[in-house]
Amino acid sequence: MARISVVIITCNRRSQLRETLAHMTSLPDEAPVFVADNGSADGTADMVAGEFPGVRLFRLAENLGAVARNVAVEEVTTPYVAFCDDDTTWQPGALTRAADLLDAFPGLGSVTGRCLVEPGLAEDPITPELRESPVPGPDWLPGPALLGIMAGLTAVRVSAFREVGGFSTRMWLGGEEELFALDLAARGWWMCWAEDVVIHHAPSKLRDPRHRRRLGIRNTLWTLLLRRPWPAVFRRGREVLRSAPTDLATAAALLDVARGLPWVLTSRRVVPPHVEHGLRLLEAPQRASKARRYVG
């Protein structure tokens, strides 16, 4: 029986999703594939239904963003789920390797793989940060300990996913993984990076970088307010804003943050001290990061 399923979210990327599904449904890992279509208007859902009848399809009436993953995971019956974007492809054996690690280490909540960017297959700029993560972890952990994930590169224990409630309905999309990861860590789940779990990324050109930046800034600041002690909120908040362009997208993000303050402050739950310690250790590499820039 399958140990791991694949959940893909998509919206208006029919051609790229077709290529992704052709790859994912032909893998020797033979993982069940679920597609949550976020209300596409380009015939994406019809393409999936017509060309990939073995894929479980969810036709969502509206764009739920990352929450579409929650909808699909509700129907997953395997103990593990690998998230996949419509522009990422897990390589042969990667799903099996991630499941093996989750089998072997019951305290492991997620495994994030090594990302190679097409067409040249250079490592994604975030990879050195994951490989050299300074977060302290137990001796049994099979790779560097993490306090954040990239959803399209990550396999998650389904019981842990459900324990934290999946992805926040408030965050929608864009950095939504940070809050999810902190909630996993706060509940005692460990996350790690695995060099031999390989995923390829062929970045889609069908995106609005300014809107994505607005969401990323908003969600980063909301997560700070929701889970970090006040000194960290102000310290990291200043650093985030210093790295962002002074333009309308950034201004809109700040307005979004202000509008969300009533629910954010009533939902505030600071992470345990050991998690905050790891987050403090991450601040220096984050300041020097070439992958964490709010541009576009």
Side-chain angles (χ1 to χ4, degrees):
M1 295 180 63
R3 291 178 294 157
I4 189 165
S5 299
V6 174
V7 166
I8 303 172
I9 60 172
T10 189
C11 185
N12 292 325
R13 292 183 182 174
R14 182 180 58 187
S15 295
Q16 192 156 28
L17 178 63
R18 177 184 285 117
E19 295 177 3
T20 297
L21 284 176
H23 175 94
M24 296 301 295
T25 57
S26 66
L27 289 174
D29 309 83
E30 297 183 336
V33 177
F34 297 69
V35 170
D37 177 61
N38 271 316
S40 294
D42 66 348
T44 291
D46 288 340
M47 180 276 293
V48 175
E51 299 181 24
F52 300 94
V55 168
R56 176 70 184 277
L57 173 64
F58 299 85
R59 295 176 182 260
L60 305 179
E62 59 182 312
N63 191 344
L64 300 181
V67 180
R69 299 188 187 110
N70 300 1
V71 174
V73 174
E74 287 181 8
E75 302 299 321
V76 166
T77 58
T78 55
Y80 316 126
V81 60
F83 294 116
C84 182
D85 293 334
D86 48 25
D87 59 359
T88 61
T89 50
W90 289 63
Q91 296 305 291
L95 294 168
T96 299
R97 176 58 178 158
D100 288 343
L101 290 171
L102 290 163
D103 271 350
F105 302 100
L108 190 60
S110 73
V111 176
T112 296
R114 178 176 174 233
C115 181
L116 303 179
V117 182
E118 296 183 356
L121 299 185
E123 284 190 338
D124 186 281
I126 197 70
T127 300
E129 293 183 45
L130 304 179
R131 181 183 285 120
E132 299 163 16
S133 171
V135 176
D139 292 340
W140 59 259
L141 205 63
L146 305 179
L147 283 174
I149 67 167
M150 297 178 70
L153 313 177
T154 299
V156 180
R157 191 177 299 273
V158 170
S159 60
F161 182 90
R162 291 172 176 162
E163 182 180 330
V164 302
F167 293 100
S168 167
T169 57
R170 300 278 191 171
M171 298 287 175
W172 193 67
L173 193 68
E176 74 282 356
E177 302 101 328
E178 186 176 5
L179 180 61
F180 171 77
L182 292 185
D183 286 349
L184 281 180
R187 285 165 174 78
W189 291 105
W190 289 96
M191 295 160 277
C192 80
W193 182 77
E195 179 100 28
D196 54 354
V197 174
V198 179
I199 300 99
H200 288 188
H201 183 203
S204 174
K205 297 179 181 178
L206 299 176
R207 65 179 67 216
D208 181 346
R210 282 180 175 252
H211 184 58
R212 183 62 65 91
R213 170 158 56 88
R214 172 181 175 176
L215 295 175
I217 293 171
R218 181 198 71 180
N219 289 345
T220 296
L221 294 177
W222 273 352
T223 300
L224 284 170
L225 288 161
L226 284 164
R227 297 292 182 261
R228 303 289 301 275
W230 287 113
V233 171
F234 294 117
R235 182 177 62 253
R236 283 291 298 147
R238 283 196 305 270
E239 292 170 356
V240 168
L241 294 177
R242 284 173 182 168
S243 71
T246 305
D247 63 6
L248 290 178
T250 299
L254 290 175
L255 183 59
D256 292 340
V257 171
R259 287 172 174 164
L261 283 177
W263 79 265
V264 167
L265 295 178
T266 57
S267 304
R268 179 173 162 81
R269 298 194 308 273
V270 175
V271 296
H274 74 278
V275 178
E276 175 60 23
H277 174 64
L279 291 170
R280 287 289 302 271
L281 294 175
L282 284 168
E283 289 184 12
Q286 286 172 345
R287 281 193 296 269
S289 172
K290 295 181 180 179
R292 301 176 187 269
R293 290 290 179 265
Y294 294 103
V295 296

